Amino acid sequence: MLTKEENDLLTQTDAGTPGGILLRSFWQPAALSEELPFDSAPIRIRIFGEDLVLFRDDAGSPGLLGLHCPHRAADLSYGRCEDGGLRCLYHGWLFDAAGNCTEQPGEPAESDFKTKVKQTAYPCKEQAGLIFTYMGQGEPPLLPAYPALQAGDGQWFVTKFFQECNYLQGNEGNLDPEHLSFLHRAFINDPRANADLVKGGEASFDMLLGKDKAPVIEIEETNYGLRIFTTRNAEEGETFLRLTNYVFPNMNAFPGGVGGTPADQGHGMHWHVPIDDTHHWKYQLTTVWAGSLDKTKLNAGNVGDLKPDYHLHRNTENRFLQNRGEMKDTTFAGMGFNIQVHDVWATAGEGPIQDRTTEHLGYTDKVITAARRQLLDAVRTVQEGGEPKYVARDAGSNSFGHMVSFNEVGPKSTDWHSLWQERIPK
Ligand code: FES
Ligand SMILES: [Fe+2]
């Protein structure tokens, strides 16, 4: 449970709010690269309550500017990408990606008026199919070297999902190991291509989650947030470990969902980025460490569910097309097999901004409690004018090779707390 003041601190992300300053201290995904192909129209985006335009200059580099032209506020997302920047349709002013006004064709030739005009601009970087931006103050930190962002071509798959609620409840959904024993359960093997098998394909990961509904949950602090050990009883004498991570401040990393041995499972990340305080994007990045990733197979779970605008067909308007017949013998929730649908249902149902003054947290919510503590500590640092912990500004602090995720079944005698060190990809 949080006080109202604490809940506000963690859920309000507009410019100038402590929570907003905190999240802006980190590089954040602004869009998928596929939304902005080379030579395409600029796109209008909204992030942290700010309306912006994302474009590629004629060299292909992304730029992110305030949506409204600083001349007389025309919408720059209709502009022309030319001459090294974005040109406003109304009177032809040209802006580069740094927000400099480089041309004002109608002003007298001797005028230096353009040097007095600066458009809002945020730096961008592109990696693993994502266009990142830094909206914080001062010099940007390093783009974090999370393992999932280091995958080579052919080793990542990325998409996103619209969520009609505050970013924090989306992210807290990932920090809740217990819901996997219920919400996402299926009573039959997932007929789609990405059924998640463990232990050489003998048992489905989902079956093991349903077998023991009272896991032991342990956490340890790391230089990126929290490492989360969730152990459940498996077959006689065996334990099932799911190792996941809270990645500060609005991400998590978990097994990639491609099945197989721990080394084959790859890595997944969910990154919850506010559009404003009551809507956010959940970016989903899946990578493998070696070989190439079958994107068609991995995306099979979304086909038919995700619309071209990255909104799910199933939503609150149609009550997620819940099917009571399906609940008898096929899925626990009656909303199909796509876990993204289930998660959207769970988190949107908590309200636009969850009222955390009335909740009752139990043992299984211990990761959420610990993550909130880290967030509140960082908010206080920000309120005192400092930079939050975990912002990486040198190679030493930008080292995350020890962030691993996997599902593994083994003898109860296994030292589950040190096993992850052996699972770091070579
Ligand atoms: S409003 Fe953009 S150039 Fe005039
Ligand atoms: Fe979930």
Side-chain angles (χ1 to χ4, degrees), residues 128 155-159 284-287 293 295 298-299 302:
Q155 294 186 319
W156 52 260
F157 169 77
V158 66
T159 190
Q284 182 195 32
L285 175 64
T286 305
T287 59
L293 185 140
K295 296 187 184 189
L298 200 62
N299 197 34
N302 292 324

Side-chain angles (χ1 to χ4, degrees), residues 23 26-33 35 45-48 52 54 64 123-135 143-144 146 149 158-160 249-251 269-275 280-285:
L23 290 177
F26 296 81
W27 287 92
Q28 299 283 346
L32 301 169
S33 297
E35 295 179 81
I45 68 165
R46 187 166 167 79
I47 176 169
F48 296 118
L52 303 168
L54 184 64
L64 186 60
C124 296
K125 283 182 191 280
E126 199 162 9
Q127 198 157 321
L130 290 163
I131 298 173
F132 292 91
T133 189
Y134 175 71
M135 295 172 68
L143 189 67
Y146 302 140
L149 294 182
V158 66
T159 190
K160 68 180 188 178
N250 55 335
M251 288 158 274
M269 290 195 92
H270 283 161
W271 209 318
H272 294 263
V273 183
I275 297 169
H280 74 273
W281 289 112
K282 176 185 192 174
Y283 287 88
Q284 182 195 32
L285 175 64

